[in-house]
Amino acid sequence: MNSKVKIGLLHSLIRRDEKLLIDEINGRDDAELVMIDDREISFSLKKSQTTEADIILERCINHYRALHALQLFEDSGILCINKSTVASICGSKFETSLMLKQHNVPQPEVRIAFTEKSALEAIEDMGYPVVMKPAVGSWGRLIAKVSTREAAEAILEHKTTLGTYHHSVFYIQQYVEKNGRDIRSFVVGDECIAAVYRTSEHWITNTARGAVATNCPISDELAEISKAAAKAVGGGILAIDVFETEGGLMVNEVNYTMEFKNSIKPTGVNIPEKIVDYVVQCGRENLNG
Amino acid sequence: MALNAQCPVCDAEISLPDDTVKDELFECEECGSELVVASVNPFEIEEAPEIEEDWGE
C-alpha cells in the first residue's frame, strides 16, 4: 500500500476555502495534513528550509508572503503548488497579460504606461470607457471604470498622489460590455473541472463583491481557452476569469490561490476533492522520482 | 460538542462546531463583524485583521 502524501498547507487565516481543503485532506486515506502558518516561519539563506511535508499547497491570503515563501521552499528543493513563477505571473496583471499575449490567448486590449501624461494619451487613443486596475490587487478593489477624460484625469492624479509607487504603473484595459455577467472557470492540472457564471447588476462581477454564481456548462471553447490560459502562466491549480464577447471568449485575469467555496454548490463539482487529488498525484510522482 | 464564546464586538453568544480550527474566519450572525478563532483550547475569538493591500486570490 502506498504511504500517505504529506501535504503542507501554507496558510495564514483560514477562510471557508482552506477549511474545505483541510476537511478534504483529513478525510482521505492517501494524504496527511501538515499545517504551515506563514506568520510563524522564517527562512535562513545559509541552510535549506526543512519541512515534514512532501509537497506544499499554497493557500496564503497575502500575495507577497505566498510568493516569497514559495521561492524559498522551492530553493530548498521542495515541490510547491502552485509554483512561485505562477504566483509571480498571476500576482501581476501586467505579467499575466504579457504571458497571455506570448501564448496567443485572446484578451481585451491592454496598455501599460508609467506617467499620468502617457497614461492619459493611451486612454484617449483606446477610447472610452476603459478600466484601470492596480497591477497587484484582488477582489475587484481599486479598479475603476473610466468613461470620460475628466474622470481619467482625476483617477490618474489620485493614483499618483495617494497611491503607493506600484499604483503609478498604470494598467489600462479596454472595457468589455459583459451584459451583467462573466465566467469563472477552474483548471486543475490538465482539466477544466468546473465553471460558473458570475452575475451582478454592478459592472464588477466578483463574488467577493456580491455577484451570484450559477453553473456554466463547459463548452469546448471555454475548456480550450481556460486550459490555454492556465498553461500560459505555468499551469497548476488556477481560476480563469473569462469575458464573453461577440468575437469569442477572452481571458480577463488568472488567479493562483483560487477561491472556490461559492462554486461547489452551483456546479455540483467537489472542487476541494479535485484539488487534493491533483496535489496527491503530484506529490506521489515527486516521491517516486 | 460546540465551542462557545461571546462576540467581542456586540456580546452576542457565539457557538461554533467542534471541528473549528485556529485562525478560522467566521462572521457574527448578530452584528456581521468578521471574527477569527484566536485559540481553540481555550476557545478564544477576536476581531479579524483589516484587509491588507495584497490580500486576495
Side-chain angles (χ1 to χ4, degrees), chain A residues 45 53-54 74 77 83 85 94 101 122 133 135 138 152 162 188 194 206 211 232 258 265 278 284 289:
Chain A
L45 297 185
D54 299 317
E74 286 174 350
K83 290 183 282 190
T85 49
F94 160 68
K101 179 227 162 209
K133 301 180 176 183
S138 187
L162 301 174
V188 176
N206 293 60
M258 68 185 197
K265 193 173 175 185
Y278 177 71
R284 183 123 15 241

Side-chain angles (χ1 to χ4, degrees), chain A:
Chain A
M1 181 184 155
N2 285 324
S3 60
K4 291 186 175 189
V5 173
K6 293 180 182 172
I7 300 176
L9 191 84
L10 181 62
H11 71 96
S12 52
L13 297 173
I14 305 295
R15 296 164 288 184
R16 182 78 188 131
D17 308 89
E18 283 74 43
K19 188 69 185 303
L20 289 163
L21 290 167
I22 290 169
D23 290 346
E24 172 63 28
I25 295 168
N26 283 335
R28 296 171 69 114
D29 295 330
D30 59 355
E32 182 179 330
L33 179 66
V34 178
M35 297 292 278
I36 304 173
D37 189 334
D38 69 22
R39 296 162 298 182
E40 295 177 0
I41 52 176
S42 65
F43 298 85
S44 167
L45 297 185
K46 289 182 180 174
K47 58 183 180 183
S48 286
Q49 181 68 22
T50 58
T51 172
E52 58 181 302
D54 299 317
I55 185 167
I56 286 176
L57 175 59
E58 183 281 311
R59 292 296 314 181
C60 301
I61 202 165
N62 293 78
H63 164 61
Y64 284 109
R65 286 188 202 176
L67 174 60
H68 298 321
L70 289 171
Q71 289 170 327
L72 288 156
F73 278 122
E74 286 174 350
D75 182 64
S76 297
I78 299 164
L79 180 62
C80 298
I81 295 178
N82 287 314
K83 290 183 282 190
S84 64
T85 49
V86 175
S88 176
I89 292 165
C90 294
S92 160
K93 291 183 174 53
F94 160 68
E95 287 186 47
T96 300
S97 292
L98 200 56
M99 289 301 113
L100 293 174
K101 179 227 162 209
Q102 290 179 4
H103 289 79
N104 297 314
V105 180
Q107 62 180 323
E109 183 185 356
V110 169
R111 303 278 185 103
I112 310 291
F114 305 115
T115 67
E116 287 180 60
K117 180 175 178 291
S118 58
L120 186 61
E121 286 171 358
I123 292 168
E124 293 270 302
D125 189 51
M126 291 170 82
Y128 298 96
V130 298
V131 177
M132 296 197 65
K133 301 180 176 183
V136 176
S138 187
W139 298 334
R141 286 170 295 155
L142 295 177
I143 75 171
K145 180 181 174 185
V146 182
S147 301
T148 65
R149 182 185 174 99
E150 288 80 5
E153 288 171 342
I155 287 165
L156 289 166
E157 184 182 4
H158 288 182
K159 280 181 175 288
T160 305
T161 308
L162 301 174
T164 50
Y165 67 91
H166 60 257
H167 287 287
S168 294
V169 175
F170 299 110
Y171 178 98
I172 307 154
Q173 186 186 61
Q174 169 200 3
Y175 177 75
V176 173
E177 180 52 61
K178 299 189 276 186
N179 294 315
R181 76 177 190 190
D182 69 358
I183 296 171
R184 162 155 296 196
S185 62
F186 299 90
V187 174
V188 176
D190 295 326
E191 188 185 1
C192 180
I193 62 163
V196 291
Y197 291 116
R198 304 187 303 179
T199 305
S200 174
E201 291 181 5
H202 196 280
W203 70 275
I204 297 174
T205 45
N206 293 60
T207 53
R209 298 279 292 265
V212 175
T214 55
N215 185 49
C216 171
I218 304 172
S219 64
D220 289 345
E221 185 189 8
L222 179 59
E224 192 175 316
I225 196 171
S226 300
K227 290 189 285 186
K231 188 178 177 188
V233 301
I237 299 170
L238 296 150
I240 323 293
D241 295 344
V242 179
F243 290 146
E244 302 163 284
T245 75
E246 288 182 0
L249 299 177
M250 288 186 176
V251 172
N252 178 26
E253 295 181 4
V254 183
N255 302 281
Y256 78 98
T257 311
M258 68 185 197
E259 294 171 9
F260 52 82
K261 60 181 181 293
N262 296 323
S263 302
I264 299 169
K265 193 173 175 185
T267 61
V269 176
N270 188 336
I271 298 173
E273 182 183 44
K274 296 273 190 186
I275 292 172
V276 178
D277 282 348
Y278 177 71
V279 175
V280 167
Q281 180 195 331
C282 293
R284 183 123 15 241
E285 287 172 1
N286 190 49
L287 285 171
N288 294 336

